[in-house]
Amino acid sequence: LGCREQGKQGEALRWLEPMTGTSGNGRERSRSPPPVGGLKVKEIPVIGDSRVLIAPGILEEIPKRLQAAGFKPSALVMVSDKTVDGHYGDRLFKAFERHLAETGSTQRLLRFAFPAGEASKNRQTKENVEDFMLSNKCARDSAIVALGGGVVGDLSGYTAATYMRGIPVFQVPTSTMAMIDSSVGGKTAINVPAGKNLIGAFHQPSIIFADPTVLSTLSRREVVEGLAEAIKMGVIRDAALFKQLAANAESIMTLDNALLQDVLYKAVAHKAEIVKLDEKETGLRATLNYGHTIGHAIEAMVSPKMLHGECVAIGCVAEAELACRMGHLKPEAIPEIRACFEAYGLPVLPPPGLTLEKLMDKMAVDKKNQGKTIRCTIITGVGTSIDHPLPVPRETMEAVVSDMLKTTAVPKHGW
């Protein structure tokens, strides 16, 4: 029951160079703003004017870099959760205050923090942010700075997409999950009772500022959770990245600066390239959801006991089995994929208490589906995958999930 193959080497990573462009409102500005400070910044263009800037210590430089890039909103609203706000809110807010004092700007600075956790990613929290902005007379020339992990980024991005029919958002990810995956590409959403991320919009962030030093306040579990998305990227697109992750697990988990930045850059560059080719997820971009069909179904039933990346790890192993049964993956690949996730302490077996019926019911509303047909990303080796989701016979999916549920494990952090 498995598929093991070394996997074909994917195309060598195309290192993306800065480009020039014009902003959507006609302001001419460089994609690469004039150098600010002495930081060595890596830039990854995404789509349109959207780009990622990666550098340790870039957090305090955000105000100057926004000005250098031509952004001058009348009001800047920093949205965060209370945990992240406690760690980094003052640092970023005071950096903006200093910059305004130095430049004599009349820009208004506002700050909003909501309770941390996936439970806040809902309609009510979005409404609270909107009401806060409306009560402070934020006009259409305002902007949002999303300081936080995936929940903050998704909710703030969706708020920006709909407030006054759309205002700019700048992402400042503070988790490995957000830096590697959720802050890049413009997918924004909230959760609803029917499932995760079902109500949302595509709204590209103008700039993503990734400062790896902020990851130091995360627990090991939180660091590892986001690395599941890097492993996923290696499996679907980059065998060399996968091997790098497999060979250096301990160093990467302990935030080895050079290794972590290299992994971060490669994973984000791959995602940016895919987003440029398929912004609205009509085909190729849906391959980024490898492991998410089964993973999201599990997450919908066990959150917040298990984190998103933990559920995706389980889903990736199960969906490798699915690819094997559908004839696209050799059995030898599955143990190799499983071992990499295990090297990071990520779960590869589902927790107890799940049922086939409930998991299939959650999968029925997956965003990749067409009508009642479940579609999945299918891998063909370690580093390669089919460039669009394939329809999966219901009986095949049920067989894979049923076998998955035969062996369960209590997560290491408890249950």
Side-chain angles (χ1 to χ4, degrees):
L1 294 180
C3 281
R4 294 178 190 161
E5 179 191 20
Q6 278 288 328
K8 305 168 192 168
Q9 289 283 342
E11 285 185 18
L13 178 67
R14 185 155 60 91
W15 293 80
L16 305 175
E17 298 297 331
M19 299 166 59
T20 57
T22 306
S23 67
N25 62 7
R27 289 174 299 173
E28 292 286 345
R29 68 170 182 268
S30 170
R31 246 194 184 296
S32 302
V36 177
L39 293 184
K40 184 177 179 181
V41 179
K42 289 185 175 181
E43 176 176 343
I44 303 172
V46 185
I47 188 169
D49 277 350
S50 181
R51 71 261 200 201
V52 184
L53 302 181
I54 305 172
I58 201 171
L59 186 74
E60 278 85 2
E61 288 196 0
I62 290 174
K64 293 179 181 179
R65 288 183 177 274
L66 288 181
Q67 182 185 46
F71 291 102
K72 297 178 181 178
S74 64
L76 199 61
V77 185
M78 190 177 81
V79 178
S80 190
D81 68 46
K82 292 181 179 179
T83 299
V84 174
D85 186 71
H87 286 302
Y88 300 110
D90 283 346
R91 278 177 59 186
L92 183 55
F93 201 78
K94 288 177 181 178
F96 274 108
E97 288 180 327
R98 287 193 300 270
H99 180 69
L100 294 185
E102 291 168 1
T103 59
S105 172
T106 58
Q107 181 185 79
R108 291 188 298 140
L109 296 176
L110 300 167
R111 188 172 176 179
F112 186 96
F114 56 80
E118 191 77 19
S120 289
K121 190 175 157 182
N122 56 35
R123 291 181 174 114
Q124 185 59 57
T125 306
K126 179 174 182 285
E127 182 179 316
N128 292 345
V129 176
E130 292 163 342
D131 287 347
F132 172 78
M133 293 176 66
L134 290 168
S135 67
N136 280 282
K137 307 295 187 295
C138 294
R140 199 174 190 176
D141 59 350
S142 302
I144 290 176
V145 173
L147 174 68
V151 170
V152 171
D154 281 5
L155 189 139
S156 300
Y158 185 32
T159 302
T162 59
Y163 189 84
M164 300 279 179
R165 295 181 178 156
I167 62 174
V169 62
F170 307 101
Q171 295 280 357
V172 187
T174 60
S175 69
T176 49
M177 176 63 70
M179 283 191 192
I180 289 170
D181 185 62
S182 63
S183 70
V184 182
K187 286 171 69 172
T188 72
I190 55 173
N191 302 334
V192 292
K196 182 179 171 69
N197 296 333
L198 295 181
I199 306 296
F202 289 96
H203 188 63
Q204 295 296 336
S206 298
I207 305 177
I208 301 105
F209 296 96
D211 184 343
T213 65
V214 304
L215 302 178
S216 62
T217 55
L218 299 178
S219 67
R220 187 181 179 97
R221 182 187 176 196
E222 290 168 324
V223 169
V224 163
E225 183 226 358
L227 293 172
E229 294 285 357
I231 297 171
K232 174 208 74 177
M233 187 65 78
V235 174
I236 66 171
R237 199 165 176 84
D238 188 344
L241 173 60
F242 178 86
K243 289 177 181 178
Q244 180 182 25
L245 285 158
N248 298 284
E250 189 59 36
S251 294
I252 293 170
M253 283 189 287
T254 53
L255 303 180
D256 178 283
N257 200 37
L259 267 175
L260 182 63
Q261 283 190 69
D262 192 44
V263 167
L264 175 63
Y265 188 93
K266 289 175 181 176
V268 172
H270 277 305
K271 182 165 185 180
E273 189 169 31
I274 290 172
V275 170
K276 282 197 296 186
L277 295 170
D278 180 21
E279 181 184 10
K280 298 298 176 66
E281 202 172 64
T282 59
L284 179 63
R285 185 171 181 178
T287 62
L288 295 174
N289 288 313
Y290 165 59
H292 286 60
T293 301
I294 294 174
H296 269 173
I298 294 172
E299 185 178 4
M301 296 178 65
V302 302
S303 180
K305 291 182 180 180
M306 295 185 72
L307 303 175
H308 173 70
E310 294 168 340
C311 296
V312 167
I314 298 169
C316 284
V317 175
E319 290 180 28
E321 176 65 35
L322 176 68
C324 180
R325 295 197 189 188
M326 291 176 67
H328 297 285
L329 186 69
K330 292 183 179 180
E332 299 81 37
I334 292 179
E336 186 179 3
I337 293 168
R338 181 189 297 116
C340 189
F341 285 110
E342 288 178 322
Y344 286 83
L346 287 160
V348 295
L349 296 172
L354 304 180
T355 66
L356 173 63
E357 181 181 9
K358 289 183 178 179
L359 288 173
M360 293 302 296
D361 183 59
K362 293 297 182 184
M363 280 186 260
V365 291
D366 188 273
K367 296 181 292 298
K368 298 183 298 298
N369 293 353
Q370 288 184 338
K372 294 183 178 181
T373 302
I374 294 175
R375 299 194 308 156
C376 276
T377 298
I378 300 299
I379 59 172
T380 55
V382 174
T384 57
S385 58
I386 295 171
D387 64 5
H388 57 276
L390 294 185
V392 178
R394 185 178 179 88
E395 59 271 18
T396 304
M397 179 62 83
E398 287 183 346
V400 168
V401 174
S402 292
D403 285 346
M404 176 188 75
L405 293 175
K406 289 177 181 176
T407 307
T408 62
V410 175
K412 292 181 179 180
H413 60 272
W415 193 242

